[in-house]
Amino acid sequence: MSRFEYAPAPESRAIVDIKSSYGLYINGQFVEATDGKPFKTISPSSEEVLADVSEAGPADVDKAVKAARKAFEKVWGPMAGRDRAKYLFRIARLIQERSRELAVLESLDNGKPIRESRDVDIPLVAAHFFYYAGWADKLEYAGAGDDPQPWGVAGQVIPWNFPMLMLAWKIAPALAAGNTVVLKPAETTPLTALAFAEICQQADLPPGVVNIVTGAGRTGQALVEHPDVNKVAFTGSTAVGRAIAKSVAGSDKAVTLELGGKAANIVFEDAPIDQTIEGIVNGIFFNQGHVCCAGSRLLVQESVYDEVLARLKRRMGTLRVGDPLDKNTDIGAINSAAQLAKIRELSQVGEDEGAERWSPECELPPQGYWFPPTVFTGVSQAHRIAREEIFGPVLSVLTFRTPQEAVEKANNTPFGLSAGIWTDKGSRILWMANQLRAGVVWANTFNRFDPTSPFGGYKESGYGREGGRHGLEAYLAH
Ligand code: TAP
């Protein structure tokens, strides 16, 4: 019995009204799929079936692209920017009004703690729509020339780790720039995208401006390969990103890819230790580590290694793993059985290759998909757990002696999405940030997101930027 026991504090799920089945959202209406079978979406924390969802086949995708094309040519493309802005502001306000419902729905379908969906995901979703609404009548200042034009129809494919936030990253700038969209959410997390379709109806968004086609990889492939899609935006694994890059090569489609990462979180001996421990925990255990920019490689200066490790382990022992809807929960459920299998497999490889594995004592719920917060020490740069994206609550710890060595180790990865630096010295932060081959470098903080700030990677982490003015530019033809 620990000194402080928490009473359960579950968020009520009465606020969500999940239908037993959902159609596809095409041309402003929910419609039956013509050539796919329905599939089930489940809650990963309980394995409870939440709803039947339609699978869009190529004919459905074609219908959605046609609706988007018509809306682009007849309504959305010709509309004045200030009028498009009104719709985006309306959507942003509706998201705020329905924020509690959306947070509960996200936690149910994805498994992430309500504390995160309520305080991070959904507020950021609304912030993205507000931010890009402000751009819709100022496109000539976006850096794409005096008279920037939208591409046309955007085909967008998103992953399951931040379902609604990834939707906002994709849809808000696309619409602000005057494009229409067909979006495919991930197979395991379609519900908030379908709730967003209802929000589009509530906002009276003209039919065809936003279309949501649910399904798995086959649906995503049909979308990105559709000949009448002008711009492809993808977030997900490097393997699928590579396949998409190949399939659109030689076509005139514009493409942005936001892929995996293996970020170094670098701790110097002069770092403020308490904040650093919180930053390490936030860096790798936020969203169960299902974060492309997660600080999954901890690089600690040798002189403070023992202290950092001891404090980190003590802090990990206080993390609460369990019901995503409990407001005290720090770490929720792993999103799917497949992802859990991948985390287990790579963790086993870590042990087999000789690294030392440690997790605090923690009781995992009997039903659902769970993995305890885990740290590996004795990790070398050649180990697979130091090179591959685990996409789970698993931290690999390495050490360094000099700043130069830290830079070399941090950059020794095929990825280049993000990095973190913990030190008291401003000059060292600036020097390090210049040396690190990472799209985002956080200093004395980690996993901070803001709609005004561009985000994206180097090397196998993809190309193109999302967020800020740069994110808007990606939706404008030069
Ligand atoms: P992916 O397979 O890349 O899935 C991302 C999205 O692409 C999903 O909507 C997926 O559909 C769709 N998709 C799959 N195959 C496609 C294809 N050939 N053409 C077009 N779209 C396709 O990622 P995953 O399987 O969910 O996760 C695998 C690994 O990817 C994870 O373990 C993690 O390492 C990494 N990952 C990275 C990120 C970020 S943010 N960088 C996000 C998620 C995953 P379905 O999901 O419906 O099959």
Side-chain angles (χ1 to χ4, degrees):
M1 187 85 164
S2 83
R3 190 137 35 117
F4 297 104
E5 276 301 323
Y6 288 73
E11 175 79 37
S12 164
R13 59 184 276 184
I15 195 164
V16 297
D17 177 20
I18 303 177
K19 298 185 178 56
S20 58
S21 67
Y22 288 87
L24 310 169
Y25 183 65
I26 297 177
N27 206 25
Q29 305 286 337
F30 283 95
V31 296
E32 299 274 312
T34 51
D35 61 352
K37 284 198 213 87
F39 61 93
K40 296 192 187 310
T41 185
I42 63 163
S43 176
S45 63
S46 61
E47 296 171 62
E48 166 201 351
V49 173
L50 295 172
D52 279 333
V53 179
S54 304
E55 185 197 2
D60 299 303
V61 169
D62 185 52
K63 229 161 74 180
V65 173
K66 285 205 169 89
R69 171 64 56 198
K70 191 163 156 217
F72 173 69
E73 282 171 2
K74 302 257 184 271
V75 191
W76 199 248
M79 190 184 283
R82 64 178 178 279
D83 292 327
R84 287 201 305 271
K86 287 180 200 161
Y87 285 104
L88 290 171
F89 278 123
R90 203 180 291 167
I91 289 172
R93 284 193 299 268
L94 286 165
I95 289 166
Q96 285 187 318
E97 275 168 29
R98 295 178 62 170
S99 60
R100 214 173 121 228
E101 172 199 348
L102 292 169
V104 172
L105 194 57
E106 196 77 303
S107 283
L108 277 172
D109 203 20
N110 167 281
K112 65 174 70 203
I114 187 77
R115 213 159 52 83
E116 293 177 7
S117 51
R118 182 196 61 193
D119 299 346
V120 182
D121 295 53
I122 304 302
L124 275 172
V125 169
H128 271 82
F129 278 95
F130 277 118
Y131 173 74
Y132 281 112
W135 267 111
D137 62 351
K138 305 173 192 68
L139 298 178
E140 62 273 32
Y141 301 106
D146 294 343
D147 185 23
Q149 295 300 315
W151 288 108
V153 175
Q156 307 178 319
V157 178
I158 56 171
W160 43 261
N161 54 343
F162 292 93
M164 191 142 186
L165 185 56
M166 290 301 104
L167 172 149
W169 281 26
K170 299 269 180 296
I171 292 185
L175 296 194
N179 302 273
T180 55
V181 307
V182 181
L183 176 130
K184 191 200 88 70
E187 183 184 6
T188 57
T189 53
L191 293 185
T192 44
L194 293 164
F196 180 79
E198 289 171 12
I199 288 174
C200 293
Q201 287 181 324
Q202 246 182 308
D204 267 335
L205 192 71
V209 174
V210 167
N211 304 274
I212 309 280
V213 288
T214 42
R218 190 175 80 103
T219 307
Q221 193 174 353
L223 177 56
V224 300
E225 289 179 1
H226 194 289
D228 204 28
V229 163
N230 306 107
K231 150 88 188 165
V232 171
F234 171 79
T235 297
S237 62
T238 297
V240 174
R242 215 178 257 139
I244 290 175
K246 267 193 201 146
S247 81
V248 300
S251 76
D252 57 3
K253 289 176 187 164
V255 188
T256 43
L257 301 173
E258 202 267 274
L259 310 176
K262 191 75 190 174
N265 203 0
I266 307 165
V267 179
F268 287 94
E269 60 190 0
D270 63 346
I273 195 91
D274 291 327
Q275 290 96 314
T276 304
I277 299 300
E278 290 310 305
I280 297 168
V281 165
N282 173 37
I284 186 62
F285 302 124
F286 172 62
N287 202 29
Q288 296 71 247
H290 299 330
V291 184
C292 47
C293 52
S296 52
R297 280 185 303 149
L298 180 65
L299 303 187
V300 187
Q301 197 155 20
E302 238 175 53
S303 47
V304 286
Y305 174 82
D306 290 340
E307 186 184 3
V308 168
L309 252 286
R311 289 208 195 198
L312 176 62
K313 286 181 174 176
R314 201 182 319 145
R315 178 68 178 91
M316 283 169 67
T318 66
L319 293 173
R320 302 170 67 85
V321 184
D323 180 6
L325 286 188
D326 191 314
K327 288 170 229 166
N328 295 321
T329 293
D330 297 303
I331 300 184
I334 300 302
N335 180 253
S336 64
Q339 190 59 26
L340 179 59
K342 185 183 163 194
I343 297 168
R344 283 184 175 151
E345 183 202 323
L346 271 168
S347 299
Q348 189 56 50
V349 169
E351 273 187 72
D352 296 345
E353 289 187 340
E356 192 179 317
R357 175 179 182 162
W358 184 87
S359 292
E361 238 176 76
C362 91
E363 207 178 306
L364 300 178
Q367 250 340 79
Y369 314 129
W370 305 94
F371 199 86
T374 299
V375 60
F376 276 98
T377 50
V379 179
S380 87
Q381 294 188 81
H383 286 163
R384 276 181 67 191
I385 54 168
R387 289 186 288 122
E388 292 178 29
E389 192 177 36
I390 301 174
F391 228 62
V394 181
L395 180 67
S396 300
V397 188
L398 297 98
T399 58
F400 66 92
R401 288 184 186 164
T402 63
Q404 191 58 45
E405 190 187 345
V407 166
E408 276 164 27
K409 285 190 169 163
N411 287 341
N412 185 12
T413 165
F415 298 108
L417 196 53
S418 63
I421 307 165
W422 297 85
T423 175
D424 202 28
K425 289 191 183 59
S427 56
R428 181 179 284 157
I429 289 170
L430 296 174
W431 182 83
M432 290 287 294
N434 274 331
Q435 312 288 316
L436 293 170
R437 293 286 291 163
V440 178
V441 180
W442 285 291
N444 293 331
T445 186
F446 209 93
N447 274 341
R448 291 261 171 190
F449 305 98
D450 190 281
T452 63
S453 173
F455 183 92
Y458 287 100
K459 303 192 278 186
E460 289 190 15
S461 293
Y463 44 77
R465 294 291 177 264
E466 295 189 291
R469 185 183 63 74
H470 299 75
L472 190 68
E473 223 182 317
Y475 285 95
L476 292 168
H478 288 262

